[in-house]
């Protein structure tokens, strides 16, 4: 009986070794499959990295192009109209302030002349602040900044020399006084 037991043990041991051999071979096959999958994933990642670099490069080129276009695009008609509106409105207020400080009541012609003077001064300040020869050459991206610049402009920002009576205004005053 002990031979039978030994034989059984041997068979059991042989079966166990055979099963472990199969498991080991399956692990080797699985390892090969995993290795192949890893190579494919690495390849895909490399392709994705290349694509990401190309995309980032194109995106940077696009951003630079947009920046260049923004530097060249001037204000549109709506923005120009808003600038004009602010200038004309504030020029009237500044002319009123000028004559209030002078304690005088100007004729319509004299008021219009003084308002025109303030309009010219405001446009001059605006063009200087934005380094342009015409206010319509202000960059579109700076339109709101230009409008705010004008809104922030106050009567006290002008020097007495800038708001003095012009020769034309003096002539107009003399002419109107001569008619009285």
């Amino acid at each position: 009986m002990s031979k039978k037991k030994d034989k059984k043990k041997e068979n059991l041991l042989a079966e166990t070794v055979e099963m472990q051999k199969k498991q080991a071979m399956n692990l080797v096959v699985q390892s090969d499959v995993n290795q192949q999958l890893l190579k494919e994933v690495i390849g895909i990642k490399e392709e994705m990295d290349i694509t990401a670099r190309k995309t980032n490069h194109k995106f940077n080129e696009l951003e630079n192009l947009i920046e260049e276009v923004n530097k060249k695009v001037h204000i549109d008609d709506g923005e120009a109209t808003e600038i004009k509106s602010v200038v004309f409105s504030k020029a009237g207020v500044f002319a009123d302030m000028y004559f209030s400080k002078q304690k005088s009541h100007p004729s319509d012609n004299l008021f219009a002349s003084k308002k025109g003077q303030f309009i010219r001064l405001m446009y001059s300040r605006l063009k200087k602040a934005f380094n342009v020869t015409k206010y319509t050459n202000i960059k579109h991206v700076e339109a709101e900044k230009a409008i705010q610049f004008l809104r922030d402009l106050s009567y006290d920002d002008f020097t007495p020399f800038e708001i003095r009576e012009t020769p034309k205004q003096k002539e107009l005053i003399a002419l109107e006084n001569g008619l009285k």
Side-chain angles (χ1 to χ4, degrees):
M1 220 153 147
S2 96
K3 277 187 175 186
K4 234 180 176 183
K5 262 187 175 181
D6 285 343
K7 188 82 169 164
K8 259 187 174 179
K9 278 185 182 179
E10 272 180 37
N11 283 342
L12 188 59
L13 187 59
E15 283 177 21
T16 302
V17 167
E18 190 61 33
M19 190 168 44
Q20 286 177 346
K21 179 180 168 186
K22 284 180 184 177
Q23 287 175 343
M25 290 179 72
N26 283 341
L27 284 174
V28 168
V29 168
Q30 186 63 44
S31 174
D32 288 345
V33 168
N34 287 345
Q35 193 71 19
Q36 189 60 35
L37 283 173
L38 181 61
K39 284 179 184 177
E40 288 178 27
V41 168
I42 288 171
I44 291 170
K45 183 190 179 306
E46 287 171 354
E47 286 178 31
M48 288 175 66
D49 288 345
I50 290 168
T51 303
R53 281 193 298 278
K54 284 180 181 177
T55 302
N56 284 339
H57 181 71
K58 290 291 183 189
F59 183 74
N60 289 337
E61 284 178 354
L62 185 59
E63 279 183 327
N64 291 337
L65 184 60
I66 289 170
E67 191 175 315
E68 285 301 311
V69 168
N70 282 338
K71 287 178 185 175
K72 293 181 185 343
V73 175
H74 300 149
I75 61 174
D76 60 31
D77 288 343
E79 292 160 338
T81 299
E82 191 170 351
I83 285 172
K84 274 184 182 174
S85 174
V86 172
V87 167
F88 279 72
S89 163
K90 288 196 87 162
V93 170
F94 292 160
D96 278 336
M97 292 173 81
Y98 174 84
F99 289 113
S100 290
K101 288 185 183 236
Q102 300 297 314
K103 295 186 171 89
S104 64
H105 300 286
S107 66
D108 289 345
N109 288 334
L110 183 57
F111 183 85
S113 177
K114 188 53 76 176
K115 181 177 177 179
Q117 183 181 3
F118 278 109
I119 289 170
R120 288 185 300 280
L121 286 169
M122 291 174 72
Y123 277 125
S124 178
R125 290 279 178 96
L126 181 64
K127 291 184 293 188
K128 186 176 182 184
F130 288 88
N131 196 27
V132 293
T133 55
K134 298 186 307 188
Y135 83 95
T136 54
N137 286 345
I138 292 172
K139 306 295 179 245
H140 170 72
V141 293
E142 293 184 315
E144 279 304 316
K145 189 175 169 186
I147 292 165
Q148 193 58 49
F149 172 83
L150 291 169
R151 287 185 179 137
D152 292 343
L153 208 53
S154 73
Y155 180 85
D156 295 331
D157 290 330
F158 301 105
T159 66
F161 179 78
E162 289 177 308
I163 61 175
R164 74 194 183 287
E165 286 179 347
T166 65
K168 192 168 200 148
Q169 290 168 0
K170 288 178 181 178
E171 190 179 306
L172 188 58
I173 292 168
L175 181 64
E176 288 175 351
N177 285 340
L179 293 176
K180 288 185 180 176

